[in-house]
């Protein structure tokens, strides 16, 4: 899909046919983090994996607020026929919750992966400031190794090919975009009041070993969303879509197949 965003072109990679499913990436990554999941899902769905502003196919300047990312996602949704499923991983989940709060007309289902609804506390804000200082002086390389250790479970860290793929994804992000992501996450709105108002079927998924958005936090989020489904992914930490693409794709496919049937 081709779009214009803030006066610059945006190319959204897509594959497959059927009801549309939009997959939104996290920090410090881009849409390619979904490749394994997207290949699998595209057997049944039209899968779109946008790059949020400031990276990959989206040439526009990076967003310093999650609401700007939500505006970008709204523009993609507005170009898609009903029904649309929207899945957000971690920072992508923060943006997806902002979209959900606006209840766009064609949004029919949500998936929230390894993410959370609350805003940043004082300790979290201080950690964002440290990371901002690190990327300002050393670019993506300054945060890459620590992020890899936080994103992946011990088993995944032993998979050299996976670690190398994650490292390549991180190292190709530019410092200005990472800094904007960190500012956006530091200032993100608290969406806990949005959860009980979500009126579309929602799947909450989390890696059993996720230490960034823990299973306990994910379960609380699921309990606050009326009628939601809660799934844990074994042998995975935070980066479930890259650590366990088959299990994540199966869970998303089962969920979206049940709720995205075109209206008769
Ligand atoms: C992400 O995976 O998008 C980030 O680690 C989320 C965060 O740091 O809050």
């Amino acid at each position: 899909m081709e779009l214009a965003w803030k006066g610059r072109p945006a190319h959204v990679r897509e594959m497959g046919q059927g009801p549309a499913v939009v997959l939104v990436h996290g920090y410090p990554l881009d849409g390619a983090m979904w490749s394994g999941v997207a290949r699998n899902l595209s057997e049944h769905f039209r899968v779109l994996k946008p790059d949020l502003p400031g990276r990959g196919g989206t040439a526009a300047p990076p967003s310093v607020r999650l609401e700007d990312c939500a505006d970008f996602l709204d523009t993609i949704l507005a170009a898609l026929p009903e029904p649309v499923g929207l899945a957000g991983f971690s920072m992508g989940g923060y943006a997806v919750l902002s979209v959900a709060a606006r209840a766009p007309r064609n949004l029919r289902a949500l998936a929230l992966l390894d993410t959370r609804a609350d805003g940043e506390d004082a300790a979290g804000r201080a950690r964002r400031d440290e990371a901002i200082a690190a990327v300002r002086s050393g670019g993506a390389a300054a945060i890459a190794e620590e992020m890899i250790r936080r994103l992946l479970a011990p088993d995944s860290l032993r998979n050299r090919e996976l670690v190398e793929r994650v490292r390549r994804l991180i190292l190709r992000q530019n410092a200005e975009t990472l800094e904007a992501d960190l500012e956006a996450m530091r200032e993100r709105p608290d969406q806990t009041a949005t959860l009980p108002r979500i009126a579309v079927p929602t799947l909450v998924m989390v890696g059993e070993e996720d230490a960034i958005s823990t299973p306990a936090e994910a379960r609380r989020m699921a309990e606050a969303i009326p009628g939601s489904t809660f799934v844990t992914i074994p042998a995975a930490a935070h980066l479930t879509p890259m650590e366990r693409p088959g299990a994540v794709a199966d869970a998303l496919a089962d969920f979206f197949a049940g709720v995205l049937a075109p209206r008769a």
Side-chain angles (χ1 to χ4, degrees), residues 19-229:
V21 172
V22 182
L23 304 174
V24 188
H25 66 81
Y27 163 89
L29 304 163
D30 59 39
M33 65 157 275
W34 289 107
S35 295
V37 171
R39 254 194 310 278
N40 196 322
L41 273 185
S42 67
E43 288 170 21
H44 306 285
F45 301 95
R46 175 182 176 190
V47 181
L48 298 99
K49 38 185 188 120
D51 298 310
L52 290 171
R55 72 211 95 201
T58 309
S63 303
V64 290
R65 293 180 329 130
L66 261 313
E67 292 299 313
D68 297 324
C69 295
D71 291 346
F72 174 66
L73 296 173
D74 264 352
T75 307
I76 295 173
L77 259 66
L80 290 169
E82 191 174 357
V84 178
L86 181 60
F89 163 76
S90 200
M91 180 182 77
Y94 307 154
V96 159
L97 279 173
S98 290
V99 175
R102 306 170 183 188
R105 86 186 147 78
N106 57 354
L107 179 65
R108 192 83 74 73
L110 277 185
L112 300 167
L113 292 84
D114 300 277
T115 192
R116 54 199 301 157
D118 55 358
E120 201 76 294
D121 61 14
R125 292 169 68 87
R127 277 196 301 275
R128 301 296 186 197
D129 289 339
E130 281 168 24
I132 287 171
V135 294
R136 250 185 220 158
S137 59
I143 49 108
E145 299 311 315
E146 192 203 334
M147 276 311 294
I148 289 169
R149 281 192 298 277
R150 297 182 70 216
L151 290 168
L152 300 177
D155 267 4
S156 307
L157 284 167
R158 281 190 281 276
N159 177 343
R160 286 185 175 200
E161 191 266 335
L162 171 64
V163 171
E164 205 32 55
R165 254 187 306 132
V166 177
R167 183 177 287 123
R168 268 201 309 273
L169 270 183
I170 297 176
L171 291 179
R172 74 187 187 195
Q173 308 308 322
N174 69 58
E176 189 197 6
T177 299
L178 296 181
E179 186 177 334
D181 288 348
L182 289 160
E183 278 181 32
M185 291 192 288
R186 186 187 60 194
E187 304 304 329
R188 71 179 185 272
D190 183 340
Q191 295 285 7
T192 43
T194 299
L195 302 178
R197 295 205 300 265
I198 293 178
V200 294
T202 301
L203 173 69
V204 176
M205 194 188 301
V206 67
E208 275 180 359
E209 299 167 47
D210 191 344
I212 297 180
S213 320
T214 65
E217 287 161 335
R219 185 179 285 282
R220 274 199 297 279
M221 187 166 67
E223 283 167 359
I225 302 172
S228 70
T229 307

